[in-house]
Amino acid sequence: YIWNYGALPQTWEDPTHTDPEVGTKGDNDPIDVCEIGQRVHARGSVIQVKPLGVLAMIDEGETDWKVIAIDVNDPKAKDLNDIPDVERTMPGFLKATRDWFKLYKVPQGKP
């Protein structure tokens, strides 16, 4: 992965609710987080993050939100406050993230 991947505790994407922005229902999972800081955290780590923005991914016809966040203790945290800051300071990173989510299931025969 190009980021730490986890979820926001005690959240849930409702499979009965159609999101008006994307037109699909939730995936019945917690809300995912892509933490983009410099440190690789150990599996199962619980860290405090600063949300920077969100990507709405459609996975097998369901909405699968990805919160883009940074560890509050990361040296870049003070300079990153939103998605334009990520684009400015880490050019190509969000495109690489979108591309990764588009392609990671292809070997399994999924679009």
Side-chain angles (χ1 to χ4, degrees), residues 16-17 19 35 43 48 56 60 71 75 80 88 103:
T16 66
H17 172 74
D19 186 280
E35 190 280 316
R43 183 180 300 221
Q48 186 177 1
E60 297 182 30
D71 182 336
L80 297 176
R88 180 178 46 78
L103 299 173

Side-chain angles (χ1 to χ4, degrees), residues 44-96:
S45 294
V46 177
I47 63 169
Q48 186 177 1
V49 297
K50 176 173 78 167
L52 304 171
V54 66
L55 296 175
M57 308 299 288
I58 308 301
D59 186 5
E60 297 182 30
E62 298 173 328
T63 306
D64 191 7
W65 293 102
K66 310 293 185 195
V67 174
I68 306 300
I70 190 161
D71 182 336
V72 297
N73 296 311
D74 190 274
K76 287 187 172 187
K78 67 182 181 328
D79 298 321
L80 297 176
N81 295 300
D82 55 25
I83 292 297
D85 288 345
V86 176
E87 291 281 19
R88 180 178 46 78
T89 63
M90 303 167 76
F93 187 82
L94 292 174
K95 180 185 182 317

